[in-house]
Amino acid sequence: LQRELNAYLDHYNRERPHRALGGLAPLEFLAMMQAESVPQRVSDVLADYICLLSQLSYAILSLVAPERGWVRAHPLLGERAMNKDLETLVKDALEPMGFEVLEVRLTGGGKHRVLRIRLDTADEHPITMGELEQASRVLSLELDRLDPIPGSYRLEVESPGPDRPLFTRRHFERFLGLKARVTAEGGRFTGRIVRVGEESVTFRLAGGEERELPLGSFTARLAEWPKEPR
């Protein structure tokens, strides 16, 4: 394993002299390892190593940055971020690794808060337990490093599930013909996805009535799961 690690690090620094390992963002490094199909046992060790480097760099910056205003200027290190900033943090951490972030929710209170992250894969293959574990580990390190949530909480990283959120045109195209639970102006309804246009989605209600809604004007979740993976 040590020989493999040394060989890969030598190869990396030789092929990318302008992006030496110590100067590479840890999440970009993890995404690069995935793209280049680095053996799992090598990538596991390197992932831990690069995240430790990142934490060390952050600790040094935290000591010297106040004189330069760096910490105050950083969007996730000034005022504690919650809703939208949490979503940005999660996307920045996981999207370069090939994940699609479907939902970021901080729920509960006191010692019972839960940060729930729902993920899919960008290439639409069924997400695996190994991928969820990898995402959870990387996100845990990033949350520890940036510390955007005061107090204690539990991190849960999940697959899309049968009630997966739908919000992009591609989501509705992918699950065309299935039922969705929709919340829109005027109330909630369950309807079958029957048409997907450039900027709208049409649902057929139980009585046969069709309702067309502009994308972005409503929220929706699957109300049934396809028999075969999509």
Side-chain angles (χ1 to χ4, degrees), residues 5 9 33 38 43 46 53 63 83 89 105 148 154 176 184 191:
L5 287 171
L9 290 172
M33 288 193 297
V38 178
S43 66
L46 287 174
L53 278 183
L63 291 174
N83 303 317
L89 184 157
R105 294 180 62 194
R154 184 174 74 255
L176 187 68

Side-chain angles (χ1 to χ4, degrees), residues 76-122:
L76 293 174
L77 297 176
E79 296 182 0
R80 301 229 180 225
M82 287 295 175
N83 303 317
K84 197 65 181 177
D85 283 345
L86 276 175
E87 183 177 338
T88 299
L89 184 157
V90 174
K91 287 183 175 180
D92 287 348
L94 300 181
E95 285 182 349
M97 299 174 63
F99 295 107
E100 180 185 15
V101 179
L102 298 176
E103 190 171 39
V104 178
R105 294 180 62 194
L106 183 63
T107 61
K111 297 180 179 180
H112 304 288
R113 286 187 302 172
V114 176
L115 177 59
R116 182 168 290 108
I117 313 298
R118 197 172 295 214
L119 299 178
D120 200 358
T121 55

Side-chain angles (χ1 to χ4, degrees), residues 30-202:
L30 292 172
M32 179 272 296
M33 288 193 297
Q34 273 198 331
E36 298 194 4
S37 300
V38 178
Q40 186 65 44
R41 63 183 190 142
V42 176
S43 66
D44 284 347
V45 175
L46 287 174
D48 291 339
Y49 171 65
I50 198 64
C51 287
L52 285 172
L53 278 183
S54 173
Q55 289 176 318
L56 177 60
S57 299
Y58 169 67
I60 294 171
L61 281 171
S62 296
L63 291 174
V64 302
E67 299 175 1
R68 303 178 184 179
W70 186 88
V71 171
R72 290 191 298 275
H74 195 287
L76 293 174
L77 297 176
E79 296 182 0
R80 301 229 180 225
M82 287 295 175
N83 303 317
K84 197 65 181 177
D85 283 345
L86 276 175
E87 183 177 338
T88 299
L89 184 157
V90 174
K91 287 183 175 180
D92 287 348
L94 300 181
E95 285 182 349
M97 299 174 63
F99 295 107
E100 180 185 15
V101 179
L102 298 176
E103 190 171 39
V104 178
R105 294 180 62 194
L106 183 63
T107 61
K111 297 180 179 180
H112 304 288
R113 286 187 302 172
V114 176
L115 177 59
R116 182 168 290 108
I117 313 298
R118 197 172 295 214
L119 299 178
D120 200 358
T121 55
D123 64 4
E124 300 183 0
H125 74 263
I127 196 165
T128 67
M129 284 301 299
E131 288 169 326
L132 290 173
E133 289 169 1
Q134 183 184 34
S136 179
R137 183 176 60 168
V138 169
L139 190 55
S140 293
L141 288 167
E142 199 70 351
L143 288 167
D144 287 346
R145 185 172 73 87
L146 296 175
D147 192 23
I149 305 172
S152 61
Y153 61 94
R154 184 174 74 255
L155 174 65
E156 294 183 358
V157 179
E158 302 177 346
S159 62
D163 61 340
R164 64 163 289 154
L166 306 170
F167 48 87
T168 70
R169 180 171 179 264
R170 175 57 192 156
H171 290 167
F172 291 102
E173 289 177 337
R174 184 177 173 186
F175 297 102
L176 187 68
L178 296 182
K179 292 181 180 178
R181 288 191 299 273
V182 181
T183 301
E185 185 177 354
R188 301 178 181 180
F189 65 88
T190 298
R192 193 173 301 279
I193 306 165
V194 292
R195 282 189 303 278
V196 182
E198 288 295 327
E199 297 181 356
S200 65
V201 181
T202 303

Side-chain angles (χ1 to χ4, degrees), residues 186-224:
R188 301 178 181 180
F189 65 88
T190 298
R192 193 173 301 279
I193 306 165
V194 292
R195 282 189 303 278
V196 182
E198 288 295 327
E199 297 181 356
S200 65
V201 181
T202 303
F203 302 90
R204 180 175 294 136
L205 281 60
E209 173 192 355
E210 292 190 355
R211 186 168 178 186
E212 182 178 2
L213 298 173
L215 281 167
S217 70
F218 62 93
T219 61
R221 292 178 180 271
L222 273 184
E224 61 179 341

